[in-house]
Amino acid sequence: MSEQIASTITSSDVWLDHPLGQLFARIWVPSSLPNYLAHKSPIVLFHDSLGCVELWRDFPLLLSATTGRRVIAYDRLGFGRSAPRLDTLGMNFIADEAETYFSIVREQLDVQKFIALGHSVGGGMAVNCAARFPGACEALVTIAAQFFPEDRTLEGILAAKELFKDEKQVERLKKYHGDKASWILNAWIETWLAPEFASWSLATVLPLVSCPALAIHGLHDEYGSDVPPELSSA
């Protein structure tokens, strides 16, 4: 990454209070934000099933520099530097992120309007946030989001389950999540493979999204095909 680009962006870390524990967030801001962009809506990032703020790497900084907007990323409860969770994820955890957690992020960071950008399961959460706050969400971007649990999705998770039997792979995850790594793995694998989760879908949520949307999907994604974005735009 160019040092010249990095020098144009400042970042700050913030801790947000939630009844179940603190959430960690990081905000990237162009150093000299032009007046006409000063009040533009920030882009809020929703990470994937094993992700966190740190695993976005340089993407938020480059996104901020390219768009001239603030970029906000936060660790969901139980991930990264946020407080740990001891419970089991409910089958409605994707929709619940919008109501129970993101609503507090918005309130404490005083986010009036926003652009939602989510990766993988974070894409589903971004969709729910756009649907839950239609007057506030100005645009929606999903990257490799799951629309429903495809066979390819479940096969990819089963392969990952075998991979993470190698303690070295778990140790790599601990670098970003510490002692929360085992909970995160279990939450991802066991929730998606649960029989009762098979009926989960974004089909009833997508019609509630009224803002412009961009769905990005790779041809070789091991966790889903390009069918979901096509269906969502039908």
Side-chain angles (χ1 to χ4, degrees), residues 9-100:
I9 305 296
T10 59
S11 66
S12 58
D13 293 347
V14 183
W15 295 93
L16 309 173
D17 293 324
H18 188 279
L20 297 178
Q22 285 193 316
L23 303 178
F24 171 75
R26 182 169 292 158
I27 306 171
W28 292 260
V29 183
S31 301
S32 55
L33 199 60
N35 289 335
Y36 72 94
L37 284 177
H39 301 293
K40 291 290 186 178
S41 305
I43 302 171
V44 182
L45 306 183
F46 299 86
H47 64 73
D48 61 32
S49 293
L50 302 182
C52 62
V53 169
E54 295 295 342
L55 282 169
W56 284 110
R57 305 189 191 283
D58 294 336
F59 178 70
L61 187 151
L62 295 172
L63 186 63
S64 181
T66 302
T67 63
R69 294 175 182 261
R70 289 178 295 145
V71 174
I72 300 169
Y74 72 97
D75 291 337
R76 297 199 298 275
L77 191 70
F79 294 77
R81 295 169 66 180
S82 288
R85 292 183 67 162
L86 301 176
D87 60 339
T88 301
L89 284 184
M91 294 298 108
N92 66 334
F93 77 99
I94 295 175
D96 190 49
E97 188 65 30
E99 182 68 33
T100 306

Side-chain angles (χ1 to χ4, degrees), residues 110-213:
D110 192 25
V111 175
Q112 301 300 315
K113 292 184 179 293
F114 63 94
I115 295 170
L117 189 159
H119 174 223
S120 191
V121 74
M125 293 171 178
V127 169
N128 275 274
C129 288
R132 173 66 180 80
F133 306 104
C137 188
E138 295 186 337
L140 167 67
V141 181
T142 65
I143 303 172
Q146 291 86 24
F147 181 81
F148 60 92
E150 297 181 73
D151 290 342
R152 185 188 296 191
T153 309
L154 303 182
E155 290 166 2
I157 293 173
L158 283 169
K161 185 176 183 178
E162 290 299 311
L163 177 68
F164 277 103
K165 288 181 179 179
D166 182 351
E167 188 59 32
K168 291 181 181 178
Q169 299 298 328
V170 179
E171 288 300 319
R172 290 176 62 186
L173 202 59
K174 287 182 178 179
K175 176 181 177 181
Y176 300 98
H177 302 288
D179 293 338
K180 298 186 286 289
S182 295
W183 180 91
I184 290 169
L185 274 174
N186 185 70
W188 175 45
I189 294 170
E190 300 308 323
T191 301
W192 280 84
L193 296 181
E196 56 268 40
F197 195 68
S199 61
W200 171 81
S201 169
L202 290 176
T204 61
V205 183
L206 283 166
L208 302 178
V209 176
S210 56
C211 63

